[in-house]
Amino acid sequence: MTVILLSLLAAAAVIGTIIPQNLPDAEYRRLLGPAVFPFFSALGLTGVYRSFLFCLPLTLVAVNTLVCTMRASRSQNRPLSFYVVHAGLLILMLGSLTSALTRVRGEIRLRPLQSADTFWAGGRQRPLGFSVRLREFRLLKHERQGERLVLTERPAGKSREFFFEPKTWTAVGDTGYRFRVDRYLPDFRADAQTGTYYSASARPLNPAVYVVLEDPVTRKQTGEWVFHRFADFHAAGRTPFKIRYEWAPTVPRAYISRIEISENGRTVREDTVSVNRPVRHRGCTLYQFNYDPFDFEWSGIEVVRDRGAPMVFASFAVLFAGLMMNLARRVFAGDGRSA
Amino acid sequence: MNEPLIHLCLFFLYASITAGYGIVFFRPAVPLRRVMRAMVLTAILFHTAALTVRALRTGHAPMSDMHESLMLFSFCLALIFLLADAAADLSRLGVFAFLLNLALLILAFSRDTAPRPLMPALQSSWLWYHVITCFLSYAAFALSFVAAAARLLPFHGRWISSVRLDGIIYRLILFGFPLLALGIMTGAVWAHQAWGAYWSWDPKETWALVTWLLYAVYLHLRVIKRWSGLALAWVACLAFACVGFTYFGVSFLLSGLHSYL
């Protein structure tokens, strides 16, 4: 029975990797056709891991594990490792169920100096229990990697190459000028009617950056769009530099949010959230999840509450201990056919 | 140091080992087996140096893309073979194990070897624990596959008995099973720290679980149902096919959170 149930569980898990999961219904109708989609939906194939196809074998595995463990304790001479492994599995399934039933996950998008004390999750606003304020967001790049700007003094003067950080002033050598990249659009389009600029897609088909140049004497700032594919397509002679933008895939080194946590109007904590370094406060964990890829204005912070996670991690320790006890026992017992 | 030169030396070292085990297959004299073990140990030490050079060059753990992971897989395969050979004398399977190793190296050299900066999600010490435990388990399962494939050959009895092969397959899977469990667990803990979810039904995660479930099926069939022989060897081969799909198939055919590998 165990073998059959584990095989069914594996087969159900595989289905979820072959059929795209949790897409909008309209997307499934387009992919599968209007005749096939209702069949897929009824069988739960569009959300396999919540459907009976997966949950039924999983439930049966849990019941089977419990029954086998109880039966073994009464009648069979099983080693301690058997009980530890199966206890670990049962705690794991209980922890996962707790997570599935109680887990809350949402996102807050904050601009610098903006704060929030609620977040959206499951279609409704939920209180955080405290207030989070974004003091600063920084996007850091790897040194000398990725896209760059080349500034050439007019007329036909010295060229300087810069790997830049967005929204950060960079000095142009010893000229006194400095520049800042304020915006990035991977697929630049201009709306002539409204005079706005936007990206038609997320793909770098027409990458462009908005560069602001500051005069050292007057402190006057002049901005212009610079295009990777059209090096000469910007206002000629307006600035003392000809600017060339060379796009390259950029892997950020880090994106970091400095936050302030307040309770009852009083700041209780200042901290930094970055990928792999979440901040935990009052049962919530804050993760650096996202950022504004175009204007670098907002930081996306994910809020998670999961009561099942500690149980799951405890089950890992138990399960692994049982597996190692079993390995050690069988290594010293020779062939180890006996249970 | 010149990485292409290091790769060339490594390839010739493993090719020599493969040729040596080819001789051992037909003439398994003890002195020759000892020489081969010494050569494998030398290769492992050289491979360690190669991985270290890579880490120094890139500034991060040498396991962040397909080239680096294939090099690591090759290293783990040699290491696990040496340990298993010392414990249970796998010398007659050495030629097949190191042919597989050469195939991994060729694949590694065919990939883009240019170092890439590490994305924020991979900047964690969990990268070491998770990837190394996974690849040690893959290496153990790869050797079990070599033994299982030999078991399925009709004329294997001339060189190695069925009972011995069944025992080798079982012990290798028994060793790899908790390692894969640990690999999945460390991955889950890391995912929770990085993304806020210890399990996302990402294709790589799911197929690793499927692989673990299939090896659990193998162990239940062997220990509880007392299966042995060809049927069980087929189960071991099927389970290793899942290892292959988890590593290669998911990376090339299915997109997900692990799409950097």
Side-chain angles (χ1 to χ4, degrees), chain A residues 2-3 6-7 9-10 13-14 17 49 54 78 86 89 95-96 99 103 105 142 145 251-255 275-278 280 287-288 302 304 306 308-309 312-313 316 319-320 323-324 326-327 330 334-339, chain B residues 117-124 167 170-171 174-175 177-179 181-182 184-185 188-198 200-203 206-207 209-210 212-214 216-217 220-228 254:
Chain A
T2 302
V3 168
L6 290 178
S7 304
L9 193 64
V14 165
T17 65
Y49 304 111
F54 185 79
R78 297 279 191 197
H86 289 83
L89 288 171
S96 307
S99 284
R103 188 166 180 263
R105 188 178 179 184
H142 290 279
Q145 297 271 352
V251 174
R253 180 163 57 90
Y255 28 112
V275 181
N276 284 310
R277 285 160 189 82
R280 291 179 178 81
Y287 296 87
Q288 180 68 66
E302 187 184 44
V304 176
D306 190 344
V312 167
F313 298 146
F316 286 168
L319 178 57
F320 185 68
L323 290 172
M324 291 308 290
N326 184 55
L327 176 64
R330 290 186 190 278
D335 174 74
R337 272 188 177 271
S338 61
Chain B
L118 217 52
M119 62 176 68
L122 296 182
Q123 292 173 29
S124 169
Y170 169 61
R171 285 193 211 99
L174 195 63
F175 180 74
F177 189 69
L179 280 174
L182 187 61
I184 294 171
M185 291 170 191
V189 173
W190 185 15
H192 185 74
Q193 188 178 40
W195 299 316
Y198 55 80
S200 308
W201 295 110
D202 173 66
T206 306
W207 273 93
L209 177 65
V210 167
W212 192 78
L213 289 174
L214 280 182
V217 164
H220 277 81
L221 287 172
R222 162 106 184 176
V223 174
I224 308 297
K225 297 293 180 190
R226 313 275 175 170
W227 277 31
S228 63
L254 306 172

Side-chain angles (χ1 to χ4, degrees), chain A residues 99-172:
Chain A
S99 284
L101 294 174
T102 66
R103 188 166 180 263
V104 173
R105 188 178 179 184
E107 189 183 345
I108 307 170
R109 285 189 182 180
L110 295 172
R111 293 174 184 269
L113 304 183
Q114 205 175 24
S115 63
D117 54 10
T118 59
F119 65 102
W120 282 97
R124 62 185 180 98
Q125 247 184 348
R126 295 166 190 264
L128 274 170
F130 51 89
S131 178
V132 177
R133 185 163 165 262
L134 177 69
R135 294 189 64 183
E136 185 191 15
F137 172 71
R138 290 195 63 198
L139 177 66
L140 305 178
K141 294 186 184 178
H142 290 279
E143 277 188 24
R144 304 200 63 77
Q145 297 271 352
E147 57 194 352
R148 53 191 183 275
L149 286 178
V150 180
L151 275 72
T152 306
E153 291 178 48
R154 294 183 204 270
K158 187 177 174 182
S159 284
R160 294 178 177 84
E161 184 183 81
F162 298 94
F163 293 91
F164 56 87
E165 300 277 358
K167 296 281 198 186
T168 304
W169 286 108
T170 305
V172 184

Side-chain angles (χ1 to χ4, degrees), chain B residues 236-255:
Chain B
C237 289
L238 177 65
F240 184 70
C242 285
V243 171
F245 193 84
T246 303
Y247 183 32
F248 294 108
V250 168
S251 298
F252 293 113
L253 299 174
L254 306 172
S255 65

Side-chain angles (χ1 to χ4, degrees), chain B residues 139-179:
Chain B
F141 294 145
L143 286 177
S144 76
F145 168 72
V146 167
R151 180 69 173 86
L152 293 174
L153 291 173
F155 43 84
H156 67 268
R158 286 176 60 186
W159 290 287
I160 186 165
S161 72
S162 302
V163 171
R164 251 198 92 210
L165 276 174
D166 286 344
I168 288 168
I169 297 166
Y170 169 61
R171 285 193 211 99
L172 284 165
I173 290 175
L174 195 63
F175 180 74
F177 189 69
L179 280 174

